[in-house]
């Protein structure tokens, strides 16, 4: 065991454990230690370490100045001393060491701020290192040093003494201001004797006036994962032309569990991740759903399923529109096809026989009124007959799809569909003489016809936070956000954009945002047809929407260049957009162009 002999805790442990291992303690104080560190001298670009090993005094120059790197190098010296004493002479190699990629990157922030990000963990040791790093970056002395810190979780120390230590540390490292987030910091904030502010939650802080006022600061953002400080850093980062679709995976899980809570425990769930997960991105969602024990996934075409397999998704996957040309992809990736016609059924059986496969799972689709793909209910006897004379495929499930489960005006028709299906499914099961999973409900169906959950349900839009029947309790999943690139002052009477379709009738502040119809922002929102939200305030879209940008009227707000803009999300629901366009939320969600980067987060 090679260890820091000056660390009382480690030394005590090793001594009291009476280890049979060989122990090498290096030390900065004990000149009898096998590796004695005589002197550590930090220079501008490196550190000189003077030490005695094997009785010889040696000098090492390393290209780092932070305490953690210095300690790492000393450990390396001790290891070399033990393994290969001759190589200890290669002192010059140390000067050529390269820094390990730092988890703390420095980014340009808004209003001449610099940001140092560590939004993943927080403990007092890593805080020490991060503060050192911050000091080493404090080149422009006009910048104020600010620390945004979350509660330190699971420290094993009582909060009172913990935050006293933190306060000492922060004072020693010349921090000018602390912003503390969390219950403990708020309670023990009096320990700090510098400029300070405290908030209970990240949300509270994001809504505070302070958050809008960062200027000329070197900001270290350091918090436990749980506090989601990436939301802070994202908003403070200087945005380069970027429009993103932010996807809250915890909201997906919430919605999934919300529907599950409405069902009997034994009812299975298929999650529909077709069309790139309704635009939100199928892989991240599939992975999350797999972790939460969803029974099945469903995609539209075989290639979508193959992609999921490639990413390590192992739960069963149904392919809703299998192409005749894609059998190879199906079998190679263990994807289960929906079978909707005798032509497809025969081709599938032939293919399994050719490959020598038996009992390959298929899903029989019955058309009960949609008149899209599907067998007719009176095809059931013939289906049974065809299935019984072969062994290549097995009907794993039988299902149908409702045409108007979201609306009470179709309830009579829905009842008819439910009855027709119940009958056809029973007939199929009787004819086959084995159990087949029966399912018909989509999201709105689960909300409104829970009694017909049968063996399984198919959850689609509800998973993505949109209730077709208007129930409360779902959480918003996707937020389409962008940022203000420029603000122009346009005098009254001037026109905005192509073809002069909007004139302003007062002196106006017009903001330009980098999202256009090529990103999926429907051009019908042009000329005050649609709105975006800036800090909770609605701003109309003015002028014709361009391919990659559009203009919005921010005259009635104090919006600034660089401010975030929400196109849809919690404060501007997708439903509202689809209503304006006389379409459905599905189309808005799936229209967000693939060039818009998807960013996933958990809370
Ligand atoms: C898309 C789809 C669903 C999910 O519908 P939602 O209205 O989004 O819940 C269910 N079943 C089938 C066959 C589908 O194609």
């Amino acid at each position: 065991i090679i260890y820091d002999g000056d660390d009382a805790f480690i030394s005590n442990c090793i001594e009291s454990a009476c280890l049979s291992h060989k122990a090498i303690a290096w030390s900065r104080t004990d000149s009898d230690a096998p590796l004695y560190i005589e002197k550590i001298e930090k220079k501008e670009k490196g550190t000189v370490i003077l030490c005695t090993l094997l009785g010889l005094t040696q000098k090492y120059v390393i290209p780092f100045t932070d305490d953690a790197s210095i300690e790492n190098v000393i450990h390396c010296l001790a290891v070399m001393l033990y393994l290969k004493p001759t190589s200890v002479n290669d002192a010059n190699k140390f000067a050529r060491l390269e820094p390990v990629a730092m988890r703390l990157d420095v980014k340009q922030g808004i209003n001449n701020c610099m940001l140092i990000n560590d939004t993943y963990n927080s403990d007092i040791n890593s805080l020490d290192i991060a503060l050192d790093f911050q000091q080493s970056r404090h080149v422009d002395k006009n910048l104020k040093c600010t620390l945004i810190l979350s509660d330190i979780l699971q420290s094993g120390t009582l909060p009172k003494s913990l935050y006293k230590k933190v306060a000492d540390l922060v004072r020693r490292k010349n921090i000018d201001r602390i912003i503390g987030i969390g219950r403990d910091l708020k309670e023990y904030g009096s320990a700090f004797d510098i400029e300070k502010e405290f908030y209970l939650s990240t949300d509270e802080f994001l809504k505070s006036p302070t958050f809008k006022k960062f200027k000329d600061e070197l900001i270290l953002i350091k918090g436990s994962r749980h506090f989601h400080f990436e939301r802070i850093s994202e908003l403070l980062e200087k945005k380069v032309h970027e429009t993103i679709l932010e996807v809250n995976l915890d909201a997906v899980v919430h919605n999934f569990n919300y529907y599950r809570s409405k069902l009997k425990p034994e009812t299975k769930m298929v999650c529909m991740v077709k069309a790139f997960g309704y635009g939100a991105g199928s892989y991240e969602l599939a992975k999350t759903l797999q972790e939460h024990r969803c029974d099945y996934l469903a995609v539209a075409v075989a290639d979508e399923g193959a992609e999921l397999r490639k990413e390590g998704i192992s739960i069963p996957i149904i392919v809703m529109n299998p192409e005749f040309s894609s059998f190879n992809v199906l079998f190679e990736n263990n994807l289960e096809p929906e079978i909707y016609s005798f032509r497809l059924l025969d081709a599938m059986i032939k293919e399994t026989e050719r490959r020598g496969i038996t009992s390959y799972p298929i899903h029989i689709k019955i058309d009960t009124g949609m008149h899209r793909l599907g067998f007719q209910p009176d095809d059931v006897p013939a289906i049974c007959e065809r299935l019984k004379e072969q062994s290549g495929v097995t009907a794993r499930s039988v299902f149908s799809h409702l045409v108007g489960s979201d609306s009470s005006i179709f309830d009579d028709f829905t009842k008819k569909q439910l009855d027709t299906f119940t009958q056809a499914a029973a007939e199929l099961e009787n004819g086959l003489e084995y159990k087949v999973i029966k399912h018909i409900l989509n999201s709105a169906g689960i909300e409104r016809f829970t009694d017909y959950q049968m063996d399984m349900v198919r959850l689609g839009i509800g998973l993505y936070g949109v209730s077709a029947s208007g129930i409360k309790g779902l959480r918003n999943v996707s937020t389409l956000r962008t940022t203000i690139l420029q603000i122009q002052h346009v005098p009254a009477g001037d026109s905005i954009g192509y073809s002069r379709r909007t004139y302003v009738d007062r002196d106006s502040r017009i903001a330009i945002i980098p999202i256009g119809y090529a990103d999926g922002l429907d051009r019908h929102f042009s000329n005050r047809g649609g709105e975006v939200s800036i800090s909770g305030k609605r701003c109309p879209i003015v002028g014709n929407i361009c391919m990659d940008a559009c203009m919005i009227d921010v005259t009635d707000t104090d919006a600034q260049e660089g401010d975030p803009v929400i196109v849809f999300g919690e404060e501007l629901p997708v439903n509202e957009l689809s209503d304006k366009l006389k379409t459905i939320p599905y189309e808005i969600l799936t229209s967000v162009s693939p060039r818009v980067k998807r960013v996933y987060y958990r809370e």
Side-chain angles (χ1 to χ4, degrees), residues 31 64 115 140 151 155 198 269 377 379 422 426-427 434 446 492 555 583-584:
S31 56
F64 315 113
L115 310 176
D140 178 355
D151 274 358
S155 70
F198 298 95
M269 285 173 92
D379 289 333
T422 306
E427 198 182 340
Y434 56 77
I446 306 172
T555 314
T583 182
I584 49 177

Side-chain angles (χ1 to χ4, degrees), residues 15-73:
E15 275 157 31
S16 65
C18 297
L19 293 168
S20 56
H21 299 65
K22 189 175 169 65
I24 299 180
W26 53 265
S27 173
R28 292 177 204 200
T29 52
D30 175 7
S31 56
D32 291 332
L35 173 59
Y36 168 51
I37 311 298
E38 254 181 86
K39 195 167 158 203
I40 293 172
E41 194 183 347
K42 288 191 194 181
K43 300 240 161 105
E44 196 181 325
K45 285 206 169 113
T47 304
V48 181
I49 302 177
L50 212 60
C51 58
T52 310
L53 8 104
L54 301 172
L56 281 177
T57 300
Q58 292 265 10
K59 190 168 101 178
Y60 293 91
V61 180
I62 56 166
F64 315 113
T65 54
D66 64 288
D67 291 341
S69 299
I70 293 169
E71 187 172 316
N72 287 344
V73 165

Side-chain angles (χ1 to χ4, degrees), residues 149-192:
L149 180 70
S150 80
D151 274 358
I152 295 179
L153 306 173
Q154 294 155 348
S155 70
T157 314
L158 286 175
K160 189 163 180 196
S161 59
L162 174 68
Y163 291 106
K164 196 176 164 314
K165 263 197 215 163
V166 172
D168 286 344
L169 187 61
V170 164
R171 185 181 328 105
R172 263 190 287 127
K173 306 284 177 170
N174 301 318
I175 299 299
D176 301 304
R177 162 159 93 132
I178 178 163
I179 295 168
I181 298 176
R183 222 165 273 285
D184 288 351
L185 271 163
K186 191 157 180 144
E187 187 169 345
Y188 298 99
S190 57
F192 296 87

